[in-house]
């Protein structure tokens, strides 16, 4: 209500094996008044946080300590402390990229622990990427409750409803992610999901994730033989040396069709179908 915005979040856990998978996060935001820019902010523990292009080259960042200034108090909490909005004044060691429309990757690293959170974001819309530090996350362990959290912030000029933020997070014990690429899926100028390609144990997983704005929405792609009516669905293709498998999943919807196969769930609006090609 502070910014008079309409916002929508869709988060899903997508498994690619017994010990592998990723979080899919789609965030829509549009102001009912003036869409100057939209920001996406995520923080996690880590000794380092790095950003790079999809080809592995480090993303060039420039220090901008005044990028996120503190604002006038917007009120007081129950203890009569002044509340500043939106909390940006806590950011330190702020480093920002120039605007880029390229796909961007990142990694939160816990030094000496073989623990990582890999991040992958599709290209398409011109955005500025920020790496910064924030106060410690008090609920965590292993000493990170006393270390500054690492921050990823993404800024996009204008609205983020037809061009929502999409971020894929892959927790891992390996320095190299299994997620190879993330691309937007668009329909009539609106981004409605993403194609996520992963490689796990000699198999290539191609997930077409559809996250429509509302129940009863529809998407048709005659060229690929895909059609969906509903809110959330995934079409997965798994390829290996032995052949190809297709998985159809509906999290909330009425019908999902792909290459001549149809999945129609029951009253709970959920369903799963698998077949070989």
């Amino acid at each position: 209500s502070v910014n008079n915005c309409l916002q929508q979040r869709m988060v899903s856990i997508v498994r690619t094996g017994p010990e592998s998978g990723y979080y899919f996060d789609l965030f829509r935001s549009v102001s009912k008044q003036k869409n100057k820019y939209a920001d996406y902010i995520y923080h996690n523990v880590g000794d380092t946080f790095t950003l790079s292009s999809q080809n592995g080259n480090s993303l060039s960042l420039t220090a901008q300590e005044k990028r996120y200034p503190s604002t006038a108090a917007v009120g007081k909490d129950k203890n009569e402390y002044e509340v500043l909005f939106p909390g940006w004044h806590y950011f330190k060691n702020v480093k920002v990229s120039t605007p880029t429309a390229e796909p961007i990757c990142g990694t939160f690293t816990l030094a000496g622990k073989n623990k990582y959170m890999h991040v992958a974001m599709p290209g398409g819309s011109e955005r500025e990427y920020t790496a910064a530090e924030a106060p410690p996350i008090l609920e965590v362990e292993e000493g990170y409750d006393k270390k500054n959290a690492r921050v990823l912030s993404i800024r996009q000029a204008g609205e983020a409803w037809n061009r929502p933020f999409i971020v894929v997070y892959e927790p891992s014990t390996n320095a190299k992610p299994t997620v190879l690429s993330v691309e937007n899926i668009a329909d009539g100028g609106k981004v409605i999901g993403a194609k996520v390609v992963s490689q796990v144990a000699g198999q290539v997983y191609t997930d077409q994730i559809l996250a429509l704005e509302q129940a009863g929405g529809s998407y048709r792609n005659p060229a690929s033989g895909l059609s969906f009516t509903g809110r959330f669905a995934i079409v997965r293709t798994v390829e290996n040396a032995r052949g190809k498998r297709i998985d159809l999943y509906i999290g909330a919807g009425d019908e999902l069709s792909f290459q001549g196969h149809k999945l129609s769930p029951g009253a709970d609006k959920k369903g799963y179908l698998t077949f070989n090609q």
Side-chain angles (χ1 to χ4, degrees):
S1 60
V2 173
N3 287 329
N4 195 17
C5 285
L6 176 64
Q7 297 182 322
Q8 188 182 90
R9 198 70 173 268
M10 178 85 70
V11 179
S12 179
I13 299 174
V14 183
R15 298 289 297 269
T16 54
E19 297 181 352
S20 62
Y22 56 85
Y23 299 94
F24 173 83
D25 184 14
L26 183 147
F27 175 55
R28 295 182 172 100
S29 180
V30 62
S31 171
K32 298 176 183 177
Q33 294 174 311
K34 184 178 180 180
N35 287 280
K36 184 177 179 182
Y37 57 80
D39 284 310
Y40 175 102
I41 299 174
Y42 169 84
H43 74 167
N44 205 338
V45 296
D47 295 291
T48 62
F49 171 57
T50 57
L51 286 166
S52 64
S53 59
Q54 198 170 60
N55 60 16
N57 294 328
S58 295
L59 187 65
S60 179
L61 303 175
T62 303
Q64 292 189 25
E65 288 300 329
K66 296 183 179 181
R67 167 77 168 191
Y68 300 101
S70 57
T71 63
V74 297
K76 293 184 178 182
D77 65 10
K78 61 182 180 181
N79 297 316
E80 292 300 305
Y81 288 107
E82 287 190 335
V83 177
L84 300 181
F85 180 81
W88 283 337
H89 53 288
Y90 288 110
F91 288 2
K92 298 179 179 179
N93 297 325
V94 177
K95 298 180 180 179
V96 186
S97 77
T98 56
T100 177
E102 295 298 315
I104 299 298
C105 304
T107 302
F108 294 81
T109 301
L110 275 61
K113 299 179 183 293
N114 293 326
K115 293 181 180 179
Y116 308 88
M117 180 66 84
H118 300 294
V119 186
M121 297 155 280
S125 292
E126 197 166 74
R127 292 167 174 156
E128 297 169 294
Y129 295 83
T130 294
E133 296 181 28
I137 303 171
L138 302 181
E139 296 84 359
V140 299
E141 300 177 351
E142 299 185 31
Y144 287 96
D145 56 337
K146 297 177 177 62
K147 296 182 179 181
N148 282 349
R150 303 288 169 164
V151 175
L152 162 68
S153 180
I154 312 170
R155 176 167 290 182
Q156 176 173 284
E159 55 79 27
W161 187 269
N162 294 333
R163 302 171 298 141
F165 295 102
I166 292 177
V167 186
V168 169
Y169 297 97
E170 180 187 351
S172 180
T173 57
N174 298 307
K176 184 178 180 180
T178 64
V179 173
L180 303 179
S181 65
V182 182
E183 300 176 19
N184 289 325
I185 295 176
D187 184 28
K190 288 186 176 183
V191 173
I192 59 163
K195 181 174 77 172
V196 182
V197 180
S198 308
Q199 187 167 12
V200 181
Q203 299 192 119
V204 176
Y205 293 77
T206 302
D207 294 331
Q208 297 183 70
I209 304 173
L210 305 176
L212 278 60
E213 295 177 18
Q214 57 190 1
S218 64
Y219 171 66
R220 302 286 184 273
N221 187 336
S224 64
L226 192 162
S227 66
F228 173 56
T229 301
R231 184 74 188 280
F232 185 82
I234 301 176
V235 174
R236 164 171 289 176
T237 302
V238 184
E239 298 178 81
N240 55 38
R242 298 183 301 276
K244 182 187 295 185
R245 188 187 82 233
I246 307 294
D247 299 333
L248 304 182
Y249 168 76
I250 294 178
D254 299 308
E255 185 177 283
L256 176 63
S257 298
F258 185 64
Q259 296 182 358
H261 294 264
K262 181 183 294 185
L263 171 61
S264 299
D268 62 356
K269 303 290 186 176
K270 304 177 188 298
Y272 175 78
L273 172 68
T274 185
F275 57 92
N276 294 319
Q277 281 193 333

